Amino acid sequence: MLAQLSKYRWQYVMIFPAVLLLFLFNYIPMAGIQIAFREFQIGSSIWESPWVGMANFAFLQEPQFWVVVKNTLFISVLKFVFGFPAPIILALMINELVHNGFKRFVQSVSYLPHFFSWIVVAYILQSFLTLDGGLANDLIAKMGGQPIFFLGSEEWFRPMIVSSGLWKEVGWNTILYLAAISAIDPQLYEAAKVEGAGKWAQIKHVTLPGIMPTVSIVLILSIPSLIAVGMDQIYPLMNPANMQVADVLDTYVLRTGLQQGYFGMATAIGLLSSVISLILVVLTNQLSRKLNGEGLW
């Protein structure tokens, strides 16, 4: 044991700051979980607040909470169905480009939106979709149609969230898959060509199996997003007109905790969401290991 510590001492020194930060900002704050079981008020100490048992979980009996849960699951499933395979498909398409200069151009253009904040993306959407002077409604009017109030429409809110998420993140998410594709042995493609395999057959029998371990890991890491759909994306686009379909768990916690001052209830909602996310990750990891032998642990 001591010999191993001595052998890798510089590696341990390098990771020590990261471990320290993880402990300070991820483990120590977990003491605040007890707020979910206390009657906490601003100005008082957590340790001095009275215990209230499961009283802060009374939100489970509120109809609005289940509407929020339905909205969260609806949006998260849509984002997962369209957002998970999209970077895989884009990575396969980019990999098939022959001209290196054009390939680098496509990669750069697809990565660029990732560096825009969601506030900037929301402003772009509002400018593009607004009733007064928006490009989308101007095109609809020129084609003889009636302007659509995209930003205040319950029908269009979910497609707007899904499509903007794809536009912003699909290019960035291809990085892992392109790296996995580049690690595939070129001799496998040569052997496939000798056997008479075309491009589609090479993708199906060489490329896809080669990146499947990466796909499995990304799938496991993506599962917690089924509960946390991204407040930073949704909150700037919320308004009273689309609130019924736009209100999700993250915005519900923000409104309950910071705006209404029910800190115990907001903490209880966050705790319940974290427990559900943990269960989903464990189940997905076990399923992945059974299907293809790959998992996080």
Side-chain angles (χ1 to χ4, degrees):
M1 182 64 179
L2 292 176
Q4 186 178 16
L5 289 174
S6 177
K7 180 179 179 180
Y8 297 105
R9 60 186 181 277
W10 293 114
Q11 287 86 339
Y12 292 132
V13 169
M14 292 178 64
I15 67 173
F16 177 75
V19 173
L20 179 62
L21 290 175
L22 181 69
F23 179 75
L24 290 176
F25 294 101
N26 289 79
Y27 284 95
I28 291 181
M30 289 179 68
I33 291 176
Q34 61 184 297
I35 295 177
F37 308 97
R38 291 178 180 266
E39 186 179 352
F40 175 74
Q41 298 293 332
I42 288 292
S44 62
S45 171
I46 296 177
W47 310 100
E48 296 174 355
S49 300
W51 292 96
V52 294
M54 302 296 290
N56 288 323
F57 289 83
F59 61 85
L60 293 171
Q61 301 176 357
E62 297 181 5
Q64 181 59 30
F65 173 76
W66 296 107
V67 172
V68 169
V69 171
K70 183 188 72 172
N71 292 339
T72 303
L73 293 177
F74 204 136
I75 293 176
S76 63
V77 169
L78 286 176
K79 292 177 71 173
F80 181 80
V81 168
F82 291 98
F84 185 77
I88 301 175
I89 296 172
L90 180 59
L92 295 174
M93 294 173 64
I94 292 176
N95 184 63
E96 294 301 319
L97 295 176
V98 178
H99 194 281
N100 288 330
F102 183 63
K103 179 184 291 188
R104 288 193 295 269
F105 172 77
V106 172
Q107 286 178 293
S108 299
V109 171
S110 62
Y111 296 165
L112 185 61
H114 170 78
F115 298 98
F116 297 162
S117 70
W118 279 115
I119 296 298
V120 174
V121 174
Y123 179 77
I124 293 173
L125 286 173
Q126 291 170 1
S127 300
F128 184 75
L129 300 176
T130 184
L131 279 173
D132 185 15
L135 179 60
N137 278 310
D138 285 348
L139 292 175
I140 292 174
K142 289 180 179 179
M143 296 174 64
Q146 294 295 324
I148 301 173
F149 186 23
F150 292 100
L151 299 174
S153 171
E154 294 184 0
E155 179 182 357
W156 285 98
F157 181 80
R158 288 162 178 161
M160 181 172 60
I161 291 296
V162 174
S163 58
S164 63
L166 282 175
W167 173 77
K168 186 176 184 298
E169 299 296 344
V170 67
W172 182 259
N173 292 335
T174 61
I175 294 176
L176 285 175
Y177 300 116
L178 288 172
I181 292 173
S182 66
I184 298 175
D185 190 347
Q187 294 182 0
L188 295 176
Y189 291 102
E190 295 297 330
K193 290 179 181 178
V194 171
E195 295 294 329
K199 283 294 183 182
W200 172 245
Q202 293 176 37
I203 293 173
K204 181 179 179 181
H205 298 290
V206 179
T207 308
L208 287 177
I211 66 173
M212 196 53 62
T214 302
V215 173
S216 300
I217 299 302
V218 174
L219 173 63
I220 295 170
L221 295 176
S222 300
I223 290 301
S225 65
L226 294 177
I227 301 298
V229 295
M231 183 189 69
D232 48 353
Q233 178 188 9
I234 293 177
Y235 190 72
L237 298 173
M238 283 181 58
N239 56 61
N242 59 31
M243 177 70 74
Q244 194 61 23
V245 297
D247 198 14
V248 294
L249 279 174
D250 290 338
T251 58
Y252 187 72
V253 169
L254 174 67
R255 190 170 60 255
T256 302
L258 295 182
Q259 296 180 359
Q260 299 178 0
Y262 298 118
F263 301 103
M265 184 179 296
T267 306
I269 298 172
L271 175 60
L272 181 62
S273 300
S274 299
V275 171
I276 294 174
S277 296
L278 175 62
I279 293 173
L280 290 175
V281 168
V282 172
L283 293 178
T284 307
N285 185 74
Q286 294 301 319
L287 180 61
S288 177
R289 292 186 65 85
K290 287 184 179 180
L291 293 178
N292 53 33
E294 297 290 338
L296 289 176
W297 65 86

